[in-house]
């Protein structure tokens, strides 16, 4: 009987080599958490293998297998290693999957976020960076995302900040590194301590103004790169700056959850 399909993890890709290194570490973590499941990695841009290249390799295996395929041969679930449903998830990845070889049966899973597991991963990274556990009420957090030109996706980040605030933090503010909001202006129609769309530095100052005794910055990004570096520079006045989510166990578990759901 055929086994489970192949999990094809689809990463964004970057000119920064740290991005690919981090995505490969995440894939290793996913493999370790479910032995026996075949997990491959493809990149939408810059890095190899490309998503198209990974699919072509899987199709060649399916052709060689003939009428008696090995477990999972020909069946693929593409899991986007993306935190938000923006352009890459809505347009780029579906376009690539539509061009896949006919030997493959492909399902596209949902993006990783939003999800409670990601909030747990953010907290893990904050505590690893030195934030004292159990002192949430005096700590303000900047939920620092890369940002996007997609207003719907940016609104999701603001909603995550509101949800996270209710777990006991002094306050939570989203910030955007690449959208117009990340260059100093708030998105139209968004006001208030949780919805303000400032850059990281402005968000840190805003939390100080609110009276938070401690300010922490939690990058809502998976891997290092140009925009995460911009977040770190903007966090110079924060007390704690967490690393990227990377291969946090909760992220690996979420990849498998999206695979199962698909």
């Amino acid at each position: 009987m055929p086994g489970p399909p192949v999990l094809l993890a689809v990463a964004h890709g970057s000119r920064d080599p740290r991005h690919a290194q981090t995505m490969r570490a995440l894939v290793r973590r996913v493999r370790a958490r479910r032995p026996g499941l075949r997990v491959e990695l493809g990149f939408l841009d810059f890095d190899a293998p490309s998503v198209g290249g990974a699919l072509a390799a899987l199709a060649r295996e399916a052709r060689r297998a003939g009428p008696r395929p090995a477990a999972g041969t020909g069946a693929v679930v593409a899991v986007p290693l993306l935190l938000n449903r923006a352009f890459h998830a809505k347009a780029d990845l579906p376009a690539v999957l539509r061009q896949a070889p006919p030997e493959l049966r492909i399902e596209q899973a949902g993006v990783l976020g939003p999800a409670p597991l990601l909030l747990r991963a953010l907290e893990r990274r904050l505590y690893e960076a030195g934030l004292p556990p159990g002192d949430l009420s005096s700590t303000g957090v900047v939920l620092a995302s890369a940002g996007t030109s997609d207003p719907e996706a940016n609104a999701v980040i603001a909603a995550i900040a509101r949800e996270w605030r209710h777990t006991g933090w002094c306050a939570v503010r989203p910030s955007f590194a690449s959208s117009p909001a990340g260059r100093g202006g708030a998105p139209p129609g968004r006001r208030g301590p949780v919805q303000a769309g400032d850059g990281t530095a402005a968000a840190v100052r805003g939390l100080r103004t609110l009276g938070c005794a401690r300010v922490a910055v939690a990058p809502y990004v998976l891997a290092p790169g140009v925009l995460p570096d911009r977040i770190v520079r903007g966090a110079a006045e924060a007390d704690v700056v967490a690393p990227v989510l990377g291969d946090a166990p909760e992220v690996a578990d979420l990849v498998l959850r999206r695979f199962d759901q698909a």
Side-chain angles (χ1 to χ4, degrees):
M1 296 294 293
V6 174
L7 191 166
L8 176 61
V10 178
H12 185 288
S14 171
R15 291 187 178 89
D16 189 320
R18 295 174 297 169
H19 175 89
Q21 292 166 3
T22 304
M23 293 297 92
R24 291 188 178 105
L26 175 57
V27 165
R28 287 194 295 271
R29 173 91 68 174
V30 172
R31 289 175 180 144
R33 291 177 99 71
R34 189 170 296 182
L37 175 65
R38 181 173 176 182
V39 183
E40 301 292 340
L41 175 63
F43 295 90
L44 286 169
D45 210 349
F46 301 115
D47 295 297
S50 67
V51 177
L55 292 172
L58 292 171
R60 286 193 295 271
E61 291 184 21
R63 286 193 293 270
R64 287 196 298 267
R68 297 176 62 85
T73 300
V76 180
V77 173
V79 180
L81 302 183
L82 303 169
L83 297 177
N84 213 339
R85 183 170 164 74
F87 187 79
H88 292 296
K90 293 178 180 178
D92 285 348
L93 180 54
V96 174
L97 297 182
R98 284 194 297 268
Q99 298 172 11
E103 293 87 352
L104 301 179
R105 304 180 305 282
I106 302 175
E107 292 286 345
Q108 180 177 336
V111 296
L112 300 182
L117 277 171
L118 289 176
L119 295 182
R120 286 189 229 160
L122 288 166
E123 291 175 0
R124 171 191 291 274
R125 292 304 192 218
L126 285 170
Y127 297 141
E128 289 173 349
L131 184 69
D135 195 16
L136 276 63
S137 62
S138 63
T139 302
V141 180
V142 178
L143 181 67
S145 72
T148 171
S149 59
D150 186 327
E152 180 183 353
N154 285 341
V156 170
I157 301 300
I160 293 170
R162 288 193 298 273
E163 176 186 352
W164 204 15
R165 164 69 180 84
H166 294 317
T167 63
W169 300 101
C170 171
V172 179
R173 282 197 173 198
S175 70
F176 304 95
S178 67
S179 69
R183 295 191 288 273
R190 302 209 175 271
R191 299 290 185 269
V194 168
Q195 292 183 326
D198 301 321
T200 307
V204 170
R205 292 192 296 270
L207 289 171
R208 299 279 190 209
T209 302
L210 285 176
C212 299
R214 181 185 293 106
V215 175
V217 174
Y220 190 69
V221 292
L222 280 178
V226 172
L227 295 178
D229 286 349
R230 186 181 298 170
I231 290 170
V232 172
R233 289 195 299 272
E237 298 180 9
D239 299 295
V240 176
V241 183
V244 298
L245 293 169
D247 65 340
E250 296 84 358
V251 178
D253 288 342
L254 188 53
V255 171
L256 289 168
R257 181 172 296 181
R258 294 293 183 253
F259 170 80
D260 293 338
Q261 289 168 339

